[in-house]
Amino acid sequence: MIRDFKANDKAGVMELSSAVGLFEARELSELANTVDQHFAAGDVSTDKWFVDDEDGIAGVAYAMPERMTEGTWNLLYIAIDPAKQRCGRGGKLLSFVERALAKQSARVLLVETAGLDDFEYVRSFYRSHGYREEARISDFYIDGMDKVVYWKRLD
């Protein structure tokens, strides 16, 4: 069941995020701070968090509107529990996010990822769901790690 993220989901989301194995401790700390800021903002937060909840957190997605644009959003985070990957959950969660944002007048969804060979499966996932590579910024994250931006029209 995909639903809105609740404050008491934080522990499960952090556990899943650690299990995915793509994030360093500093990045996990930043993620925890982002969750805290979202709930501290209350009804004023424009961010959208979703969880795939099946007897615990199986997936999570986080999107926010791009400042100074009309209807452009960024999908900043999407992850599926490693034990539940490769069975369509990620695609279902992504589609859910796209539909939810489109209902809020989102026109475009951007996704960024790393350009490393290890991230080819991530880039392939987005391409297989209708995203196209829109930009590549060399040495963005660190020397030798490009930022790859994917784009999809939602309306």
Side-chain angles (χ1 to χ4, degrees), residues 61-118:
Y62 166 53
M64 67 181 296
E66 179 67 38
R67 294 177 306 173
M68 301 175 68
T69 68
E70 188 176 304
T72 301
W73 282 69
N74 291 288
L75 179 63
L76 298 175
Y77 184 61
I78 187 169
I80 300 297
D81 180 333
K84 297 179 180 179
Q85 290 179 357
R86 309 225 189 272
C87 64
R89 285 192 109 96
K92 288 177 185 171
L93 181 56
L94 180 60
S95 293
F96 184 92
V97 170
E98 292 169 354
R99 286 190 310 274
L101 296 179
K103 287 178 186 175
Q104 294 191 319
S105 302
R107 315 174 286 109
V108 170
L109 186 57
L110 303 175
V111 181
E112 68 179 59
T113 189
L116 297 173
D117 290 344
D118 291 351

Side-chain angles (χ1 to χ4, degrees), residues 19 22 26 40 44 51 55 60 69 92 127 131 153-154:
L22 295 176
R26 175 188 53 81
V44 227
V51 294
D55 298 324
V60 61
T69 68
K92 288 177 185 171
R127 288 190 302 269
Y131 288 77
R153 187 152 192 98
L154 298 181

Side-chain angles (χ1 to χ4, degrees), residues 5 10 13-14 30-40 49:
F5 187 108
K10 181 181 175 185
V13 165
M14 295 311 300
E30 180 64 28
L31 180 63
N33 289 337
T34 302
V35 170
D36 291 341
Q37 290 170 5
H38 171 73
F39 288 106
W49 285 86

Side-chain angles (χ1 to χ4, degrees), residues 42-59:
D43 292 340
V44 227
S45 177
T46 56
D47 299 0
K48 297 293 176 194
W49 285 86
F50 304 95
V51 294
D52 179 347
D53 185 0
E54 179 187 286
D55 298 324
I57 305 300

